[in-house]
Amino acid sequence: MIEPLALKLTFDQQAMWVHLADGRTLGVPLSFFPRLQRAKFEQLADYVISGGGTGLHWDALDEDISVQHLMYGYGDQTADRGGLARQA
């Protein structure tokens, strides 16, 4: 299986759109990532694509996201959900 690689991100009011190297675009609700949902547009636009496209990073927001985990539908893995954080 070929690993999904991000080329760029775009945002609207509700979602992050991950544009992949293979031509697909993945829409991810911002509600999956509370730090992104609370961020200002300028903060969202200040991202780095890391690992040759395998990761997404926002230094100012202290947010790191695996593109592969997005493909699996995972949200924020650090959020406390009733005392239990889902493990990747």
Side-chain angles (χ1 to χ4, degrees), residues 70-87:
L70 290 177
M71 298 296 290
Y72 292 140
Y74 294 157
D76 185 349
Q77 300 296 296
T78 63
D80 186 2
R81 293 175 179 85
L84 298 173
R86 187 167 79 179
Q87 299 297 314

Side-chain angles (χ1 to χ4, degrees), residues 2-44:
I2 298 172
E3 188 169 16
L5 301 174
L7 291 179
K8 72 174 187 171
L9 304 178
T10 54
F11 298 89
D12 62 29
Q13 294 288 343
Q14 310 293 314
M16 170 175 62
W17 299 92
V18 184
H19 304 271
L20 302 174
D22 65 7
R24 292 179 290 172
T25 301
L26 177 65
V28 181
L30 290 175
S31 61
F32 278 32
F33 297 94
R35 284 183 290 259
L36 297 184
Q37 188 173 35
R38 290 189 301 264
K40 296 178 181 170
F41 183 77
E42 295 79 21
Q43 293 172 303
L44 292 175

